[in-house]
Amino acid sequence: MTDTINITLSDGTTLDDFVTATRDTIASLTKQVETLSGMASSVTAIQLGLASTDSTMAANQEADAAALAGLQEAVKAWAASKASGTTTGTGSTTATGSSATGTGTATSSTGTGTTTTTGTTPTQTGSGGGSTTSAPVNTEGLSLSIAPGTFTFSNIPVGNNTICIVGATNSKTPANQMLWSIVRSSVPLKIDYAGYVDCMASPGVGPITFTVQGIDHIGGSTAQATFSIPVVQIGAQTATRAPGAFTGLPTTGLVQSNKFLTGSAGVVGFNVANNTAAALPQGYVRFVQAFTPGAVPKGSTVDLVSPGVIGVTQCDPINTYSDGSLKTALITVAQPAIASGAAVQYLLGVVGGTTITAPVDLSTALTAAKYALTFDIQMLANDGTASGSPVSIDLVAAMQAAIAGKTASTLQSGPLVTQQRVVVPISGSLYLNADFSAFFDGSIRCDIAVRNDIAMSASGGPIYTSGTITQNGTSVYSWNQLYQTQYQCWLYECGTDARYAASVQLDPAYLIKAAVIQPYGITKGVDATAIVGYENGTASPGWLAPLATNGVDTGMPGTGGRPDIGYETQSATVALITQDPRAVDYCCAQADASGSAPWNIYDAANECFVSTANYPDLWIDGRAALGKPGDPTSQGLTQRQTGTPQNWDLDQAHQPDLSFVPWLYTARRHYLDQVMMQGAWSVVCQYNRPMTIPGTTTVVKQSLWGSQVRGIAWMLRQVSNAGLFAPDGSSYATYFADIMQQNATYGLGLQAYLKPTQGNCWGYLAQDHGQNNFAPWEMYYLLAICGLAGARGYPGWTEITNFFARFAVESALPQADGPYKGAKWCPRDASAYDLFFGIASTNGQAGGTGIVGTPAQTWAEANYWTVRGGQSNSGATWDAATDTIIPGTPNWSHSAGDYGQLTMAGIVWGVRNGVPNAQAALAAFLADPPPYTDAATYQTDPTFSLAG
């Protein structure tokens, strides 16, 4: 339904008359809409707009008409044009299904704002087509420069930030002496530290008029400029499942992992469930399964051996172990019709080499299905007008041509499904990956990745586009005025079948056994209310829109209890422990968000994401020298990374792992790309990788050990994960194996250097937290990542794990050495935020120099320095007059976060690897548990819930 408001004003109409007429019309429309069913969201949007107008008028009661900046601009434009006829304002409300989006546009509201004072008044180009008049610029040369751009809304709720591509920059140097601020706006706005304008209002309003003011606090000068910016709204992508489509899933109590078939003939079980309200027809599900070494011997494959279950399986190997046994594979299953709320249990077992069966022919299938898929895109100028001719791509024809020319790359080929990719260049750094799958029953799926991420070439940069995707003659998706910077991508899925309507459940106990995931406490369960939160999140406006962040924190350097930081993200961990489809959907959306982050840096010349194998000196930071196309000695990218509309701030020390678990549950090739991408990024994001092993002359060329300890952990996590699934024969397989080997060499050399210097307390890494102090919990991030790498068979990593695990184990036990100046080791300090092994630094935490001089040689001395540093849980105090430690009552005052959980994780890996005294340490830890290590806490947030 679409309603149009026509407001006709005669000559002599005052501003108050205009406001009254507008308000009366809005109120009238509100009453009409309230009588129509299904329009509640539209009413809400209109009422919000009315409330905003009321608030603006009330806040400016004592100001003149200029206080109503947006309305004043419209009136000025109307007054200028009334000689040629009547000015009409239009507004529209569009409802689709149960959700509605409102937009309002004043067609002539791009007038100018003028400030009259003395001085020079240059005219500047207004952003988005609006005109701009700058206030005077003083004799010091102070001015404002607003880069062209547009506000972009993705149905963001009120109170959330939506970034406008408008940068306020200072023409005077040094630029950091300027303070930018919004002094007046028709909606709430702010400028962040990077110079971006954030819009705090709900979508659908606009154009937005605002005034930016810059103040030079050194020179005392001020400049102002008023701008009118058009507002665009991006429609949300249709989700895999409509919000609220799940049924019969628990909303209270604990959600436990499902049961899986086992048997002497089987290797691993999996389930396929229907958690929707309707019966599912026959179809196909795909997932990725890893196997333990030797479980599927060379020359064998897997098939269904479930008793009483009829089904067909296709196994497409990804890679193998050194003995030729199957390591990981894509599994496709022809699932039967499944009633609502029901599930089918399967068991995979080893079978001999299968009889050769003709694979599905993708080209023939596309022709037989008469499938049509067109991607139309229009490049735009900064004011939203067309730039150049539109581009129309027949993706089916492109796929057929690639198959005929033998340029299509194949991921799957078998009797159930064949999946191939065609790459379609568009312009500059922009291209499409179209992954077509044809199934035995004739159904078709296609994932379209819109990637603007080609690096190390002569062309590239941000793009501004509108477009449409048309399937079988029907528009299935369109976007409008989307700003996509270089190194960003987004995904859209389409096809002729139900598209993952069935939920795959993987056996977490076997995934742990196969060293795919951390040894989570899978028997504890997860509180259902946490999972309901994920379901509510996936129903949020703008969820899955192009370049949406989908709950990922874009400010990666931010610390605190972030649900996206951990061995895996919180939602991925919940998915692994419970197999609940609501958590799976949530973490898959966050895999889509990995495309929004500007770390997608693809080296088209070498057909892989940028790597030091091809550019040994590459550092993607903007401080690196600008690279040259085709030059392997380049130190930097050939095009700089720029700010994004989502305000991404990347940081290796706080990066979440966004695509690894989604790849397991969906087998989507795009997610495999993202796993490889983040592994590659984790190497080139690091500066000064060549490092000499302390105490030796051995140089490791690609060491990741120069970062913060948590940064080492998360970079190694990404490289290890990428190596686990790197396809045999690919450049990724050799590259990631080499990076892991080089870093194992450095880690082993480092521990050999550290152990003799650390006395009784050996087994820790004091780096980056401060002088003579370190954070044991950061080390336990690293310990668990090293532990999983060792379990995966990467050489050297089990020894590195055991070095750190020794410290976790011994620190949790009473120690017999000492006393030292009255101090005795307190096992509660195993879970302290900070430990001191020398005199406390006065130089702050970050960028510290580690241990200076000789560190504490006994546990008692370590307690002495930790008490002096104010971080001990012993309750003891330091008497400066006598230089002795006065005993006190132990407490948990320095273990208020997840530090106890991380200590537990370190001890768990000690138990798993047979580190001496690990079982005793685990028993002591459980007998006197730190805060937030109880079952109820883990059931609310299981991110670090590891079990021995």
Side-chain angles (χ1 to χ4, degrees), residues 438-483:
F439 294 86
F440 177 79
D441 67 356
S443 58
I444 305 292
R445 295 179 192 166
C446 183
D447 284 351
I448 305 171
V450 185
R451 306 194 72 104
N452 187 34
D453 62 4
I454 293 178
M456 311 312 294
S457 67
S459 61
I463 57 172
Y464 191 32
T465 67
S466 293
T468 303
I469 298 174
T470 304
Q471 177 178 261
N472 292 336
T474 301
S475 174
V476 292
Y477 185 66
S478 63
W479 67 98
N480 185 35
Q481 295 182 307
L482 175 66
Y483 187 88

Side-chain angles (χ1 to χ4, degrees), residues 140 172-174 176-179 215-221:
E140 295 180 357
K172 182 185 176 183
T173 57
N176 60 2
Q177 302 300 327
M178 289 296 298
L179 175 66
I215 302 175
D216 179 2
H217 285 284
I218 302 300
S221 54

Side-chain angles (χ1 to χ4, degrees), residues 23 26 43-56 202 205:
R23 287 171 49 79
I26 293 173
V43 173
T44 300
I46 295 168
Q47 289 174 336
L48 284 171
L50 185 59
S52 176
T53 303
D54 288 339
S55 175
T56 302
S202 58
V205 296

Side-chain angles (χ1 to χ4, degrees), residues 248-255 527-532 535 582:
L249 295 169
T251 57
T252 59
L254 290 181
V255 180
D527 193 300
T529 56
I531 303 176
V532 170
E535 184 172 22
R582 295 167 291 186

Side-chain angles (χ1 to χ4, degrees), residues 616-748:
D617 300 321
L618 186 66
W619 182 37
I620 61 171
D621 191 278
R623 289 167 288 182
L626 198 66
K628 297 179 180 179
D631 182 1
T633 66
S634 292
Q635 296 180 348
L637 298 172
T638 56
Q639 288 92 30
R640 302 288 193 194
Q641 292 173 296
T642 59
T644 67
Q646 301 79 22
N647 216 21
W648 285 98
D649 186 7
L650 305 180
D651 176 28
Q652 71 264 32
H654 298 85
Q655 60 170 311
D657 184 14
L658 297 177
S659 303
F660 180 75
V661 172
W663 161 240
L664 292 175
Y665 281 100
T666 67
R668 299 180 76 171
R669 188 172 180 177
H670 175 73
Y671 293 163
L672 177 61
D673 290 342
Q674 297 306 94
V675 172
M676 299 300 112
M677 172 277 296
Q678 203 171 340
W681 180 86
S682 292
V683 179
V684 296
C685 73
Q686 173 73 355
Y687 176 67
N688 196 25
R689 290 179 300 273
M691 295 181 65
T692 301
I693 297 174
T696 75
T697 59
T698 302
V699 177
V700 175
K701 292 183 178 180
Q702 302 298 337
S703 173
L704 304 178
W705 290 82
S707 178
Q708 298 179 43
V709 176
R710 53 191 164 192
I712 303 168
W714 303 148
M715 288 187 290
L716 288 172
R717 176 194 63 197
Q718 298 310 133
V719 174
S720 175
N721 284 353
L724 178 65
F725 288 115
D728 279 349
S730 69
S731 63
Y732 292 126
T734 53
Y735 178 61
F736 291 126
D738 179 60
I739 295 297
M740 291 299 294
Q741 184 57 63
Q742 289 194 57
N743 281 276
T745 298
Y746 187 91
L748 290 169

Side-chain angles (χ1 to χ4, degrees), residues 158-253:
V158 174
N160 288 7
N161 291 356
T162 301
I163 307 302
C164 171
I165 315 302
V166 177
T169 59
N170 178 23
S171 62
K172 182 185 176 183
T173 57
N176 60 2
Q177 302 300 327
M178 289 296 298
L179 175 66
W180 302 108
S181 62
I182 297 287
V183 294
R184 186 176 299 281
S185 172
S186 56
V187 299
L189 299 174
K190 70 176 183 180
I191 291 183
D192 66 16
Y193 69 94
Y196 289 100
V197 178
D198 298 351
C199 177
M200 309 296 289
S202 58
V205 296
I208 294 177
T209 301
F210 65 97
T211 300
V212 178
Q213 175 175 274
I215 302 175
D216 179 2
H217 285 284
I218 302 300
S221 54
T222 301
Q224 285 191 359
T226 299
F227 297 86
S228 183
I229 309 293
V231 178
V232 296
Q233 187 171 4
I234 301 172
Q237 176 180 348
T238 302
T240 300
R241 300 179 181 87
F246 294 118
T247 185
L249 295 169
T251 57
T252 59

Side-chain angles (χ1 to χ4, degrees), residues 815-833:
Q815 298 296 326
D817 59 20
Y820 179 84
K821 298 184 179 182
K824 290 285 290 182
W825 179 253
C826 175
R828 287 193 174 192
D829 286 346
S831 301
Y833 173 79

Side-chain angles (χ1 to χ4, degrees), residues 265-268 270 287 289 291 295-297 299-305 312-317 326 329-332 347-354 510:
V267 174
V268 60
F270 67 94
F287 60 93
Q289 183 64 59
F291 301 94
V296 185
S300 302
T301 186
V302 292
D303 205 345
L304 298 179
V305 294
V312 181
T313 306
Q314 177 178 320
C315 175
D316 291 281
L326 188 59
L330 280 82
I331 306 296
T332 305
L347 184 63
L348 287 175
V350 177
V351 296
T354 57
Y510 189 84

